[in-house]
């Protein structure tokens, strides 16, 4: 039988890193999960078990910790860029490195040295470096939004299997999964400010757009990010429709004027889309 290896990659996943910056007046806590994925001239390891070009995943894990100590963790973008470039520059066999980081939020309490965990929402960052160019993709996951009015869904095709009634005013909820591609990956860019602006733009557009469909809302949210952050050239969104259904209370001789709902988990609609600036160019490996 004739075969060939079409693709390969490997790395260390779910490296848990907690970094404490012990400032004189207030401590700063950074809680990250880091994924490292490497690819390159390592086919011999698959073909014959020759590991002479394989950087051990344990070494990758240790590099994450060592870099956190040497350079600190100002933000996930800066740490990810350092790591991705290091793996390519230091290992001749590695032609491409991808570092994904999830920032787990903590907020200080009134005490300057204690914190509380912030829900299911996470800041996300993915950096890809191929030795010549770096691509940086930021994002947010788990951002749950809901509006109690200003949303409708009407005018859709009706076929023999359609039972859904048209809604002139409905409750709309979603959990945002957003990723955005930056035009460049400069180490000194204002990543924290850009993230805050992009997140605020998503929330503002969701709230202010009179939604005739979740698709329309998605487009408005993506355009809001592009308007708010000039350094972002492309936005990808996945918006599950978190259905809230009116409860039928007629069996209890009660009306229900859009007051009592049941929140359902499954099944759900999933709306996805990408909006890019005109002339943004080919993302290449940006989404790899």
């Amino acid at each position: 039988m004739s075969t060939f290896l079409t693709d390969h990659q490997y790395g260390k996943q779910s490296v848990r890193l907690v970094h404490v910056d012990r400032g004189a007046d207030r401590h700063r806590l950074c809680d990250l999960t880091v994924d490292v994925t490497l690819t390159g001239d390592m086919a011999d390891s698959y073909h014959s078990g020759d590991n002479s070009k394989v950087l051990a995943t344990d070494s990758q894990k240790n590099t994450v910790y060592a870099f956190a100590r040497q350079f600190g963790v100002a933000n996930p973008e800066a740490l990810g860029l350092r790591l991705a470039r290091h793996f390519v520059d230091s290992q001749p066999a590695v032609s491409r490195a991808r570092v994904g980081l999830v920032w787990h939020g903590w907020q200080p309490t009134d005490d300057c040295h204690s914190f509380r965990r912030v829900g299911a929402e996470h800041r996300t960052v993915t950096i890809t470096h191929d030795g010549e160019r770096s691509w940086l993709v930021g994002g947010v996951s788990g951002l749950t939004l809901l509006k109690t009015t200003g949303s409708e869904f009407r005018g859709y095709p009706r076929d023999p299997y359609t039972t859904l009634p048209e809604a002139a005013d409905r409750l709309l909820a979603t959990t945002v999964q957003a990723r955005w591609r930056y035009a460049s990956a400069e180490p000194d860019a204002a990543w924290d400010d850009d993230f805050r602006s992009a997140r605020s733009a998503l929330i503002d557009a969701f709230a202010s757009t009179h939604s005739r469909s979740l698709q329309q809302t998605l487009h408005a949210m993506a355009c809001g990010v592009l308007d708010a952050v000039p350094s972002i050239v492309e936005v990808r969104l996945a918006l599950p429709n978190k259905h809230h259904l009116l409860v039928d209370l007629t069996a209890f001789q009660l009306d229900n004027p859009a007051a009592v709902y049941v929140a359902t988990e499954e099944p759900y609609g999933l709306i996805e889309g990408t909006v890019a600036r005109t002339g943004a160019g080919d993302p290449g490996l940006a989404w790899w």
Side-chain angles (χ1 to χ4, degrees), residues 17 19 21 28-32 34 67-68 71-83 99 101-104 123-127 136 182 185-196:
L17 166 64
H19 181 269
D21 183 354
R28 181 172 178 269
L29 181 69
C30 299
D31 184 352
L32 294 169
V34 183
F67 273 39
F71 305 109
V73 186
N75 51 59
E77 291 85 356
L79 177 62
L81 280 168
R82 286 186 184 276
L83 288 167
V99 179
L101 305 98
V102 176
W103 182 292
H104 308 286
R123 177 177 176 177
T124 64
V125 177
T126 304
I127 294 97
L136 197 149
Y182 289 94
E186 298 299 328
D188 297 328
W191 304 120
D192 291 338
D193 291 341
D194 286 349
F195 172 79
R196 285 190 288 265

Side-chain angles (χ1 to χ4, degrees), residues 57-75:
T57 64
D58 190 66
S59 300
Q60 298 171 31
K61 175 202 69 178
N62 292 339
T63 303
V64 173
Y65 296 134
F67 273 39
R69 177 65 186 97
Q70 288 179 268
F71 305 109
V73 186
N75 51 59

Side-chain angles (χ1 to χ4, degrees), residues 248-260:
D248 184 357
L249 300 176
T250 55
F252 316 113
Q253 292 77 51
L254 294 171
D255 65 355
N256 189 5
V260 179

